[in-house]
Amino acid sequence: MSKPSSGRAPKGSACLICRQKKSRCDGVRPVCGPCSASNNNCKYSDGGPSEDQMLQEEIALLESRLEKLQNPGGLSQSMTLHSPYHGSSGPATKPLQLSPETRRNLFRSFMPYASDFCFLLDFNRFSATVSADPTQVAPALLSSIYLFGSYLAPVNEISSMQPAFLSRAIHDAVQGLSLTNAQRVLHCVQAECLLAQYLLIQGRILEGKYRISTAVSLVLGAGFHKIRSAEQLNWSSRASTSALGVGINALPPAQDYIEEGERINALWTVLILNHCWTAADGSPSNISYDVPESRIDTPWPLDTGNYAQNPLPNDIKGSSTIQNFLSNNRDNGYSLLALHAKGAILFEQASLMLRQYKPNMSLQDATKFQAQFAKIDNTIRRFTSELPPIPSRADVQQSQSPSDARSTTRRLLIIHTLASVSTIQLHYTFSNKDPGSQSQILLAAQNVVNALKVANLEDFPFIDPIMGTLWIATAKVFTDEITLRRSGTISRSSRMSPKDLMTAVESILSAMAIFATRSPLMDAQLAQVRQVYAAAMR
């Protein structure tokens, strides 16, 4: 580690954080003194663009591209921006030179785990398209698939290409936006979802969430939230006379049940990402239930691949799909994708209730809050009670298709965990005063740990990055209880012994450690839980 001779860094060598705060920087690398004391993420520009600068440039490029799409015949009101960090000749990102064999290997590395990475397209149709004519696939989607293929590849030479694939995928995503070609819309949405997942795994939260917001704009702009809407004619007439999204009626009808299913699955896949990650950090959702224009009327999805054999009946129409679910009404949403979407909705709603609670509410607000609390609590209870069990190791081994069974296990683990953490979020505020709420969150936290015991995590080459956030919330229940016991305060629940509480936290730490080696985000979250656990044990 190098250190300047004085306490102040030479001019121009201060870190980006100290520059922004206009504070004295000592220039120590990799983390300067002020950032170390404040626990900030210290960064140096070294003459190149910072991550924020690169992201701002990318946003400008996307906005320029969207303006051209929305006004193809008119003049742009703003200049097209080019990066000042690259030469003026040639594109900023060169096409990757890959042999046909390398492309096939990357594709094969990704596809067995496609459903774990929010893959929403029909597997058979997409694979046939890639084999017959790869030029029919949006470059951003191919680049994103190669990115994840390299992430999963055991060969170091291919795995080391991740930065190049990421750079190419981001470049292709900016250039490939389309709101007029139905297949390209789907491909763009799919690429944004894959990019979001990868960036989140890497701990690049801001960039990942930006990708999610772009995907939300695409599915709402294409009208995927109004597929089979009972008010379809009404929405079509409004779209033709107003500026409702670029296109509630812009795309031609789906050519068959499979394409319609891809559009439906695109909507719900994007909603899962949006709801999980806005709930995780408390930011406003990009999808509103109350605004008629963005209200979701689309039916619950089937799992990818099921639309060809068991398409939705022609007479099925939808209206206020999410509101009906939150009102505890029965529906036909029992596919794994539908259950995942419901789990994400409950997590988002419970987290919203946690943030909305205020101790000194007016009587009117308190009454309204209590009614909403009871409604969500009842929905969570029924949803949890009706979930299919997570397949055990024996179930997987005895299955006719062990690979499919393992995929089902991975997806159900996420769904069960979302449901349990929804209970934790909803009851957490009242757990110190209400024995019933305290019992609820302890039981829910135990259910999260029990799910880990059933699933064989060694079979997981990847875990949804939201799981780290869910495991942190679960571990906090146990560490809070440990702190309570060690302080001498009488616990309101004798459900778990001190040894049981420690074992539960250590189970979560072990699970996080499995994935921390391949995910900077999980690694940072693991360190956070370890720190909290150590403090509770003092």
Side-chain angles (χ1 to χ4, degrees), residues 195-520:
L195 275 171
Q197 287 282 68
Y198 182 85
L199 290 166
L200 292 167
I201 291 170
Q202 301 302 321
R204 297 164 67 168
I205 306 298
L206 178 62
E207 293 168 273
K209 291 192 65 177
Y210 177 70
R211 292 292 162 194
I212 294 170
S213 67
T214 302
V216 170
S217 297
L218 286 170
V219 295
L220 296 184
F224 290 171
H225 59 308
K226 298 297 180 183
I227 295 173
R228 295 203 180 210
S229 172
E231 302 178 24
Q232 184 63 52
L233 292 176
N234 187 25
W235 287 115
S236 297
S237 62
R238 288 196 203 180
S240 63
T241 58
S242 70
L244 272 181
V246 175
I248 285 182
N249 202 30
L251 293 179
Q255 63 179 353
D256 55 24
Y257 289 120
I258 292 178
E259 184 179 314
E260 182 188 51
E262 289 177 329
R263 296 183 184 189
I264 292 172
N265 288 10
L267 170 75
W268 292 108
T269 298
V270 171
L271 178 138
I272 289 168
L273 287 170
N274 174 78
H275 280 35
C276 284
W277 288 98
T278 56
D281 66 2
S283 57
S285 175
N286 297 300
I287 300 175
S288 173
Y289 304 154
D290 301 325
V291 179
E293 289 82 359
S294 62
R295 187 193 70 216
I296 293 176
D297 292 341
T298 302
W300 293 109
L302 304 178
D303 286 320
T304 300
N306 287 351
Y307 290 96
Q309 294 81 15
N310 302 293
L312 294 173
N314 289 326
D315 60 350
I316 284 187
K317 302 294 181 183
S319 179
S320 303
T321 307
I322 294 176
Q323 290 92 326
N324 288 330
F325 166 64
L326 292 175
S327 296
N328 225 358
N329 296 330
R330 295 282 178 180
D331 55 48
N332 59 354
Y334 292 105
S335 68
L336 287 176
L337 183 56
L339 294 176
H340 196 169
K342 290 179 177 181
I345 291 165
L346 292 174
F347 176 51
E348 184 251 1
Q349 287 291 295
S351 300
L352 182 62
M353 294 294 292
L354 176 64
R355 297 194 302 272
Q356 286 181 339
Y357 175 76
K358 296 180 178 61
N360 301 316
M361 288 183 178
S362 66
L363 178 60
Q364 181 180 1
D365 289 342
T367 301
K368 183 179 178 181
F369 180 91
Q370 185 59 39
Q372 184 69 6
F373 180 97
K375 184 172 77 169
I376 295 174
D377 191 36
N378 289 334
T379 305
I380 293 173
R381 288 172 185 264
R382 198 191 83 183
F383 175 73
T384 303
S385 68
E386 295 178 353
L387 284 178
I390 299 173
S392 65
R393 298 187 188 189
D395 294 332
V396 171
Q397 292 171 354
Q398 296 170 8
S399 171
Q400 293 182 348
S401 176
S403 62
D404 289 344
R406 282 191 287 269
S407 177
T408 298
T409 298
R410 293 192 292 269
R411 298 177 71 182
L412 280 173
L413 175 64
I414 298 169
I415 296 166
H416 277 263
T417 305
L418 279 169
S420 295
V421 176
S422 296
T423 295
I424 293 172
Q425 294 289 85
L426 188 65
H427 286 270
Y428 188 82
T429 299
F430 309 104
S431 59
N432 289 333
K433 300 178 182 178
D434 180 20
S437 287
Q438 172 68 4
S439 178
Q440 285 285 332
I441 67 170
L442 272 173
L443 179 60
Q446 283 181 284
N447 288 338
V448 172
V449 173
N450 291 337
L452 294 176
K453 296 176 182 177
V454 175
N456 181 15
L457 296 184
E458 300 295 341
D459 278 345
F460 286 45
F462 156 87
I463 196 75
D464 190 315
I466 196 61
M467 289 295 285
T469 299
L470 302 180
W471 283 334
I472 287 175
T474 304
K476 182 170 173 53
V477 173
F478 298 126
T479 54
D480 283 354
E481 188 69 11
I482 291 171
T483 301
L484 188 67
R485 303 277 182 94
R486 293 177 72 86
S487 69
T489 305
I490 299 176
S491 173
R492 294 180 179 271
S493 174
S494 59
R495 184 181 298 276
M496 300 179 70
S497 68
K499 183 178 179 180
D500 291 337
L501 293 168
M502 290 185 285
T503 301
V505 177
E506 287 160 9
S507 295
I508 294 172
L509 290 172
S510 297
M512 298 180 77
I514 293 173
F515 305 103
T517 57
R518 303 198 65 190
S519 169

Side-chain angles (χ1 to χ4, degrees), residues 6-296:
S6 67
R8 188 183 185 98
K11 186 175 181 180
S13 63
C15 78
L16 296 174
I17 300 297
C18 289
R19 288 185 194 179
Q20 184 179 8
K21 293 184 175 181
K22 297 183 179 179
S23 59
R24 177 174 295 186
C25 181
D26 57 18
V28 172
R29 299 189 179 220
V31 181
C32 72
C35 286
S36 177
S38 304
N39 198 27
N40 287 326
N41 186 15
C42 188
K43 296 178 182 177
Y44 288 88
S45 65
D46 292 326
S50 68
E51 288 186 14
D52 288 346
Q53 287 172 320
M54 289 188 290
L55 184 59
Q56 289 171 1
E57 180 196 348
E58 186 185 336
I59 290 172
L61 286 170
L62 281 168
E63 289 174 341
S64 174
R65 179 69 175 142
L66 281 170
E67 183 176 353
K68 290 179 182 179
L69 289 168
Q70 294 175 4
N71 187 25
L75 295 174
S76 174
Q77 297 178 357
S78 62
M79 295 177 61
T80 300
L81 301 181
H82 298 280
S83 173
Y85 306 106
H86 300 283
S88 58
S89 62
T93 304
K94 296 180 180 179
L96 297 173
Q97 302 300 320
L98 301 174
S99 68
E101 182 63 23
T102 299
R103 293 177 187 272
R104 284 193 293 270
N105 288 338
L106 289 168
F107 191 76
R108 291 168 185 160
S109 178
F110 168 78
M111 287 309 291
Y113 307 105
S115 60
D116 297 294
F117 292 106
C118 299
F119 199 77
L120 56 91
L121 303 174
D122 182 83
F123 298 139
N124 295 331
R125 177 172 288 183
F126 181 73
S127 298
T129 301
V130 171
S131 299
D133 185 4
T135 62
Q136 296 301 309
V137 180
L141 178 51
L142 282 178
S143 299
S144 300
I145 288 175
Y146 296 154
L147 171 63
F148 263 117
S150 65
Y151 173 76
L152 294 167
V155 182
N156 290 334
E157 182 180 353
I158 296 179
S159 181
S160 65
M161 296 177 68
Q162 290 179 59
F165 284 126
L166 176 60
S167 178
R168 187 69 217 180
I170 290 175
H171 175 271
D172 289 341
V174 173
Q175 301 299 322
L177 287 175
S178 172
L179 290 173
T180 56
N181 182 296
Q183 204 59 33
R184 282 301 169 105
V185 170
L186 287 167
H187 287 186
C188 288
V189 172
Q190 181 67 86
E192 295 293 348
C193 291
L194 292 175
L195 275 171
Q197 287 282 68
Y198 182 85
L199 290 166
L200 292 167
I201 291 170
Q202 301 302 321
R204 297 164 67 168
I205 306 298
L206 178 62
E207 293 168 273
K209 291 192 65 177
Y210 177 70
R211 292 292 162 194
I212 294 170
S213 67
T214 302
V216 170
S217 297
L218 286 170
V219 295
L220 296 184
F224 290 171
H225 59 308
K226 298 297 180 183
I227 295 173
R228 295 203 180 210
S229 172
E231 302 178 24
Q232 184 63 52
L233 292 176
N234 187 25
W235 287 115
S236 297
S237 62
R238 288 196 203 180
S240 63
T241 58
S242 70
L244 272 181
V246 175
I248 285 182
N249 202 30
L251 293 179
Q255 63 179 353
D256 55 24
Y257 289 120
I258 292 178
E259 184 179 314
E260 182 188 51
E262 289 177 329
R263 296 183 184 189
I264 292 172
N265 288 10
L267 170 75
W268 292 108
T269 298
V270 171
L271 178 138
I272 289 168
L273 287 170
N274 174 78
H275 280 35
C276 284
W277 288 98
T278 56
D281 66 2
S283 57
S285 175
N286 297 300
I287 300 175
S288 173
Y289 304 154
D290 301 325
V291 179
E293 289 82 359
S294 62
R295 187 193 70 216
I296 293 176

